Amino acid sequence: MQLHQPYTELVSNIGELLAAGRAKAARQVNSILVQTYWEIGRHIVEFELNGNEKSEYGTKLFDRLSRDLTEVYGKGFGRSNLMYMRRLYVSFKISGTLSHQLTWSHYYEILKSDSELEIGFYTRQCEKEKWSVRELKRQMKCMLFHRLAVSTDKEGILKLADKGHDIQQPEDLLRDPFVLEFLNIPEQYQFHEGDLENRLIDNLQKLFLELGKGFAFIGRQYRMSIGGRHFRLDLLFYHRILKCFVLIDLKRGEIDHADVGQMNLYINYFKKEEATEGDNEPIGILLGTCKDNVLVEYATAGITNKVLMAKYQLYLPEKKQLQHALNKLLDI
């Protein structure tokens, strides 16, 4: 028996209401849970300040508290959980600064950061990008804050920690280096540029996470016919925030001055043939395993088009090196 359209709409509408209600309830439960854990952290700190016991991680306070709370209230009060509740309060002294968008699992990961600057950055970035816990873990593991911080100045670092990463100009697109560890290409593997491109397309969702907010994929091996000759661009995107095409060419080795000239040609083509009213000028990004800063300076001198160059790595960056560079910038 075929159902009438009004009835199917009724079922659909009820389903949408249920989904929205459950989502709202989950957000409220999460918000209450985070607030409760913040209050627990406050009570622990106040207990310590009253001279009862120092909260060094080696003391027996958390062991005893964990045992007693678990015995009465059940799971959720492990020693590490309690330590992170305390740190939640210490890092967010004003409860109003807690985000209602982040779950306790988000905060648990963020509070593993080494500094308040990192904690502030990852909190803001999770809100902006609506990262899942899995995505957050990946960005922290890849040292996103450090990679962005070492490419800016001291004032820029403090702004990152306070507001997150804003895309306001073409240079803001670069994370130097880009980390492509999700491609699972061994460090010593002799791959071709085509192999790299294929793996990036196969992992497009993870590539978007690494590139950052605002990228919309248009195509690969984008064909351009110029003066009777055919050229192909590796990857073509449109950036919704900057309102422009973003052209990406992949290089297996070092970026060469000829690569800069070729990208300049592509940008000029897009300005004349592809851009429409309302589009800003295209941006070209050359990604290679290394770049010579002196060569880059001379190759781009006099070019009015925006040609950006950055390195990519097939493995995670060295934390000690990035931390050292960050400390130097902050005069620590």
Side-chain angles (χ1 to χ4, degrees):
M1 179 178 176
Q2 188 173 1
L3 297 176
H4 296 295
Q5 185 63 31
Y7 179 77
T8 57
E9 288 181 3
L10 173 64
V11 173
S12 177
N13 290 337
I14 291 174
E16 290 176 3
L17 281 171
L18 285 171
R22 287 169 178 170
K24 184 177 180 181
R27 288 193 297 270
Q28 289 176 339
V29 168
N30 166 70
S31 181
I32 293 170
L33 182 65
V34 171
Q35 183 66 38
T36 300
Y37 283 175
W38 181 88
E39 294 285 357
I40 291 173
R42 180 175 65 83
H43 280 292
I44 292 173
V45 171
E46 289 177 354
F47 179 83
E48 297 161 357
L49 292 176
N50 287 334
N52 292 288
E53 185 170 356
K54 292 289 184 183
S55 176
E56 297 298 332
Y57 293 157
T59 66
K60 297 179 181 179
L61 172 62
F62 289 105
D63 291 330
R64 182 181 178 185
L65 196 56
S66 174
R67 183 179 64 250
D68 292 343
L69 289 175
T70 301
E71 184 177 335
V72 178
Y73 300 105
K75 294 181 179 179
F77 298 100
R79 185 175 186 272
S80 61
N81 235 18
L82 289 170
M83 287 193 292
Y84 279 107
M85 291 176 200
R86 178 189 183 277
R87 191 165 189 200
L88 181 68
Y89 172 75
V90 171
S91 299
F92 300 88
K93 283 290 180 63
I94 302 173
S95 64
T97 59
L98 292 171
S99 171
H100 297 295
Q101 299 179 38
L102 274 58
T103 65
W104 171 244
S105 297
H106 282 100
Y107 278 113
Y108 192 91
E109 294 301 323
I110 290 170
L111 292 170
K112 292 178 182 178
S113 297
D114 296 331
S115 72
E116 298 305 312
L117 292 176
E118 279 187 76
I119 290 172
F121 169 77
Y122 286 116
T123 301
R124 302 291 172 267
Q125 210 63 20
C126 273
E127 292 176 314
K128 284 186 172 185
E129 306 280 357
K130 301 189 185 320
W131 285 342
S132 66
V133 175
R134 183 178 180 182
E135 289 168 336
L136 169 64
K137 284 183 177 180
R138 192 257 167 186
Q139 295 291 22
M140 292 183 69
K141 187 178 181 181
C142 292
M143 305 284 290
L144 176 61
F145 172 71
H146 287 74
R147 285 187 287 143
L148 291 172
V150 297
S151 63
T152 184
D153 53 17
K154 186 173 182 178
E155 183 180 346
I157 296 170
L158 298 177
K159 186 177 178 182
L160 274 176
D162 184 49
K163 297 182 178 179
H165 183 50
D166 282 326
I167 305 294
Q168 298 179 346
Q169 55 187 355
E171 286 76 10
D172 294 332
L173 297 179
L174 293 188
R175 301 174 179 187
D176 200 2
F178 286 92
V179 180
L180 308 179
E181 92 297 342
F182 55 84
L183 300 181
N184 296 316
I185 299 178
E187 192 174 340
Q188 302 302 323
Y189 178 68
Q190 296 298 312
F191 62 92
H192 297 287
E193 289 164 9
D195 298 331
L196 181 62
E197 181 186 327
N198 287 334
R199 294 205 187 200
L200 286 173
I201 295 300
D202 291 341
N203 292 272
L204 203 54
Q205 185 176 358
K206 294 177 180 177
L207 174 60
F208 280 140
L209 183 62
E210 177 60 16
L211 290 176
K213 188 177 181 180
F215 281 89
F217 179 65
I218 295 179
R220 61 185 294 193
Q221 290 300 305
Y222 195 86
R223 179 172 167 168
M224 296 163 282
S225 296
I226 306 173
R229 296 178 60 188
H230 301 304
F231 301 86
R232 291 188 181 273
L233 175 72
D234 290 336
L235 300 171
L236 177 62
F237 296 87
Y238 191 85
H239 202 276
R240 295 181 291 106
I241 300 173
L242 295 178
K243 299 188 183 308
C244 67
F245 287 105
V246 179
L247 291 60
I248 297 182
D249 240 7
L250 306 168
K251 302 301 172 186
R252 188 178 67 170
E254 183 177 6
I255 298 170
D256 188 78
H257 65 281
D259 301 324
V260 178
Q262 187 175 50
M263 178 57 77
N264 192 48
L265 171 71
Y266 293 168
I267 292 175
N268 285 329
Y269 170 85
F270 267 82
K271 284 166 65 175
K272 293 286 187 181
E273 305 292 339
E274 301 285 353
T276 59
E277 186 177 352
D279 286 340
N280 291 316
E281 292 198 353
I283 298 167
I285 299 179
L286 291 166
L287 284 180
T289 53
C290 55
K291 61 177 182 177
D292 185 318
N293 290 330
V294 176
L295 182 145
V296 167
E297 180 184 348
Y298 285 125
T300 56
I303 292 180
T304 57
N305 290 325
K306 188 61 68 175
V307 179
L308 306 176
M309 277 152 278
K311 295 183 293 182
Y312 64 82
Q313 291 183 190
L314 301 176
Y315 48 91
L316 297 179
E318 287 287 340
K319 183 173 182 177
K320 287 184 178 179
Q321 291 180 355
L322 288 173
Q323 187 66 58
H324 176 73
L326 181 58
N327 288 344
K328 191 174 181 181
L329 282 168
L330 294 172
D331 300 322
I332 296 178

